[in-house]
Amino acid sequence: MKNPKDINIEDYSYELPEDRIAKFPLAQRDESKLLVYNQGNISEDVFKNISTHLKGGMLMVMNNTKVIQARLMFKKETGTHIEVFCLNPHTPNDYALAFVATKHCAWECMVGNAKRWKNGQTLSMPLTVNGKPVTLKADRHGENCRTMVIDFSWDEEDVNWADILDACGVLPIPPYLKRETQESDKTTYQTIYSKIKGSVAAPTAGLHFTEKEFGELAEMGIERDEVTLHVGAGTFQPVKSETLNDHEMHTEVVSINRSTIEHILKYKGNIIAVGTTSVRTLESLYYFGAMLHENMDLHADELKVGQWMPYEAGYTIDATTALESVIAYLDRHGLDALKGSTQIIIAPGYEFKIVKAMVTNFHQPENTLMLLVAAFVGDDWKKIYEYALTHNFRFLSYGDSSLLLPRGV
């Protein structure tokens, strides 16, 4: 496997006019355009017809994460506004436990206007939550770096952190939309199958699906299953270094049920991933399995896929063995789900272990999502993006979609 550290990010750029960025979604999700790339050939259709480009006997895997209202807007007595953007739970450091926490929790956050908020200075915000008056307080820890730990506390025992966010949090929409969040985004920026709270960005390839498509896929004999990867703010970060070697990939939390792993094993070689987050999850699953194949006694905290692991670890087991190793590990430890974290970077030179087909939107130039697509379809990414640009496709989160079938169906 080629090591992609020497990749020059400028080689994965293209000119994206501002007017091609979809600022709002279409009124009907599945009326978006669909570019179909099948073994080098490109055609176009409407997303609601996606099932006609697939065949039975495949498994479609989707990311069921739900975007949280992660932006909190505090106002100091001086009138200064401080924005606290919650990224990852710190105390407790489990998403499920963090959302049901009462009276106190701590999160790793990005802070806007941090220089105006001194250590030892408590911010407060009066709220009404479930009809009750609540005062939310925030105390910071750390210097003015990219992230810091923020302690949150509130004075009502019957109110949990999920209630707090629902009452005062703002849904974070992508910065390239260059607009404020609107009430409609609370619905349109969630997939219809979103369930597990934790993301600060939507797995946008799934935004196109409606129950109509799910019904047609089922009629064709295409099954569905779900994984969870909580999308971090790093998904929007461009690669700022000249080469990939100096880029630090963001870390994201992964959760995959035992039954889902068995499902993937059953359909190995015929997996359709919806979105780059599902791709990252599924490909990370192989490396979790490879690690466990060598050591079944790894602690949960050791289940981490580093960004260069695929290129440097030298694992040679096949996907079946890796998946069976994960199941054996879960059985050995009495677990019903695998939980870990991944920093995997999928770039040209990567060898896909599990994913055969992909549904994905059109991504920003010079970022890691663009590199993932290029790894999947090779140099044809240029042909795909040129077609989309010259055939009036809409780009980025609220834009149109593509079905990538480099090996056909």
Side-chain angles (χ1 to χ4, degrees):
M1 183 185 293
K2 179 183 175 182
N3 193 315
K5 289 184 177 181
D6 295 331
I7 285 176
N8 190 323
I9 192 61
E10 289 184 355
D11 293 338
Y12 297 88
S13 186
Y14 68 94
E15 190 68 32
L16 177 58
E18 182 69 22
D19 63 1
R20 304 307 296 277
I21 299 173
K23 300 298 177 69
F24 292 91
L26 297 180
Q28 182 63 29
R29 291 173 183 256
D30 59 1
E31 289 293 337
S32 55
K33 294 177 73 171
L34 177 70
L35 182 149
V36 180
Y37 170 84
N38 192 334
Q39 295 179 293
N41 299 309
I42 296 176
S43 60
E44 65 177 270
D45 203 338
V46 182
F47 191 86
K48 64 184 179 182
N49 297 329
I50 189 171
S51 64
T52 65
H53 300 280
L54 298 170
K55 67 176 183 180
M58 303 185 80
L59 176 66
M60 182 173 282
V61 180
M62 320 177 111
N63 183 5
N64 63 13
T65 189
K66 188 167 188 172
V67 185
I68 61 173
Q69 294 174 200
R71 296 170 59 203
L72 300 172
M73 310 297 187
F74 288 89
K75 185 177 181 180
K76 296 175 61 178
E77 292 180 357
T78 60
T80 300
H81 288 86
I82 307 291
E83 177 180 340
V84 179
F85 189 170
C86 299
L87 298 176
N88 302 300
H90 183 272
T91 308
N93 66 354
D94 177 89
Y95 281 90
L97 295 177
F99 287 120
V100 298
T102 56
K103 301 200 77 173
H104 173 266
C105 65
W107 282 67
E108 179 188 356
C109 302
M110 290 193 296
V111 178
N113 217 6
K115 293 181 179 180
R116 298 292 191 92
W117 183 14
K118 301 185 185 301
N119 268 324
Q121 192 175 53
T122 299
L123 301 182
S124 63
M125 183 192 307
L127 305 171
T128 300
V129 185
N130 300 333
K132 302 174 182 177
V134 176
T135 299
L136 174 65
K137 295 183 178 181
D139 292 281
R140 56 167 285 186
H141 299 280
E143 300 304 316
N144 295 321
C145 50
R146 183 175 178 273
T147 64
M148 59 184 74
V149 174
I150 306 298
D151 278 315
F152 297 102
S153 59
W154 55 100
D155 55 359
E156 178 55 63
E157 196 163 352
D158 293 334
V159 170
N160 63 32
W161 181 241
D163 295 329
I164 295 286
L165 291 183
D166 287 344
C168 67
V170 177
L171 193 80
I173 59 173
Y176 48 66
L177 295 185
K178 297 179 181 178
R179 64 173 176 82
E180 293 298 315
T181 301
Q182 299 192 9
E183 186 66 24
S184 60
D185 290 310
K186 291 182 179 180
T187 300
T188 59
Y189 196 58
Q190 303 279 14
T191 64
I192 65 168
Y193 50 86
S194 63
K195 297 179 181 68
I196 313 299
K197 292 183 177 181
S199 281
V200 298
T204 54
L207 295 180
H208 307 274
F209 284 94
T210 70
E211 293 297 340
K212 171 185 175 293
E213 286 74 55
F214 290 158
E216 291 174 349
L217 290 168
E219 288 176 5
M220 288 184 59
I222 296 175
E223 294 197 54
R224 290 189 295 120
D225 213 322
E226 297 173 357
V227 295
T228 304
L229 181 143
H230 292 312
V231 189
T235 193
F236 298 123
Q237 293 298 318
V239 178
K240 296 180 180 179
S241 55
E242 183 177 339
T243 63
L244 207 53
N245 182 58
D246 298 319
H247 177 73
E248 183 178 358
M249 193 68 177
H250 55 287
T251 300
E252 291 166 318
V253 177
V254 173
S255 178
I256 312 171
N257 291 331
R258 185 190 191 284
S259 59
T260 300
I261 298 168
E262 290 177 330
H263 218 175
I264 294 166
L265 185 58
K266 174 185 174 183
Y267 281 94
K268 62 183 184 296
N270 281 298
I271 305 295
I272 312 163
V274 177
T276 56
T277 59
S278 296
V279 174
R280 284 166 49 76
T281 304
L282 292 167
E283 293 299 314
S284 295
L285 179 59
Y286 168 84
Y287 290 98
F288 289 133
M291 295 163 64
L292 293 170
H293 181 70
E294 293 188 350
N295 183 1
M296 280 287 172
D297 293 317
L298 286 178
H299 189 270
D301 292 341
E302 297 175 287
L303 288 173
K304 298 178 180 179
V305 179
Q307 72 179 60
W308 302 120
M309 180 182 285
Y311 313 95
E312 298 176 346
Y315 294 122
T316 58
I317 63 172
D318 60 22
T320 296
T321 303
L323 294 169
E324 289 175 343
S325 297
V326 175
I327 293 171
Y329 169 81
L330 296 177
D331 290 345
R332 180 169 179 167
H333 296 277
L335 302 172
D336 59 7
L338 180 76
K339 294 184 179 180
S341 63
T342 184
Q343 203 180 5
I344 192 172
I345 188 163
I346 298 177
Y350 180 86
E351 295 176 7
F352 286 83
K353 305 294 187 180
I354 293 178
V355 176
K356 179 182 181 181
M358 185 195 316
V359 179
T360 188
N361 285 13
F362 297 96
H363 307 291
Q364 289 178 292
E366 298 188 15
N367 77 356
T368 56
L369 306 184
M370 184 80 257
L371 291 171
L372 186 152
V373 171
F376 199 61
V377 299
D379 283 342
D380 275 358
W381 76 265
K382 299 173 186 176
K383 184 166 69 171
I384 291 168
Y385 274 68
E386 178 65 21
Y387 186 98
L389 286 166
T390 56
H391 287 75
N392 205 32
F393 278 71
R394 303 160 74 244
F395 279 62
L396 308 186
S397 294
Y398 274 143
D400 295 318
S401 185
S402 64
L403 172 63
L404 306 179
L405 302 163
R407 292 179 286 156
V409 292

